[in-house]
Amino acid sequence: MAIQQTKKQSDLEKRLRLLRQQVYGKDKFRVQSSEFRIKDEISTNYKLQTTNFSSDISYLHQDLLKISLLAGSALGLQIILFILSKNHILNLNFF
């Protein structure tokens, strides 16, 4: 169902126009035929999805690398402390 605009705009239509300008920008907002607009939106959405997908994957790799480095260093520190305390090199009296 298409929204039709008349010369006199109601308050709702003015809000809709302002929202369109905010979303699409003033230069991009033009009345186009529905066929061209749909093709343009599909190609734009596809481009955005592929860039978001690739950036999400790179962020995932970075996050997993940071998590594994921090977890490995914490585990290594625990092992070193355990060995030092078992060999009575390091005496930790907490109580």
Side-chain angles (χ1 to χ4, degrees):
M1 183 168 139
I3 297 174
Q4 296 178 355
Q5 295 180 344
T6 59
K7 288 268 183 182
K8 287 190 173 185
Q9 294 180 342
S10 67
D11 188 41
L12 182 63
E13 290 173 338
K14 288 178 184 178
R15 287 187 207 167
L16 180 62
R17 184 176 48 86
L18 286 174
L19 283 174
R20 283 182 181 163
Q21 285 178 353
Q22 289 174 357
V23 171
Y24 299 114
K26 291 184 179 181
D27 294 335
K28 275 188 141 182
F29 178 68
R30 294 185 187 109
V31 178
Q32 299 174 348
S33 68
S34 61
E35 182 180 335
F36 293 120
R37 186 172 56 225
I38 291 171
K39 286 181 182 178
D40 186 41
E41 287 175 1
I42 289 172
S43 64
T44 305
N45 289 338
Y46 179 72
K47 289 176 186 175
L48 289 175
Q49 287 174 355
T50 55
T51 55
N52 288 342
F53 182 72
S54 63
S55 65
D56 289 344
I57 293 294
S58 65
Y59 286 134
L60 178 66
H61 286 292
Q62 291 174 358
D63 291 343
L64 288 177
L65 179 66
K66 289 177 186 177
I67 290 169
S68 61
L69 287 175
L70 287 173
S73 63
L75 187 63
L77 182 64
Q78 287 179 356
I79 290 171
I80 290 171
L81 287 174
F82 176 74
I83 291 171
L84 291 176
S85 67
K86 280 296 181 184
N87 292 332
H88 301 288
I89 298 172
L90 181 66
N91 192 7
L92 299 175
N93 292 326
F94 291 116
F95 300 104

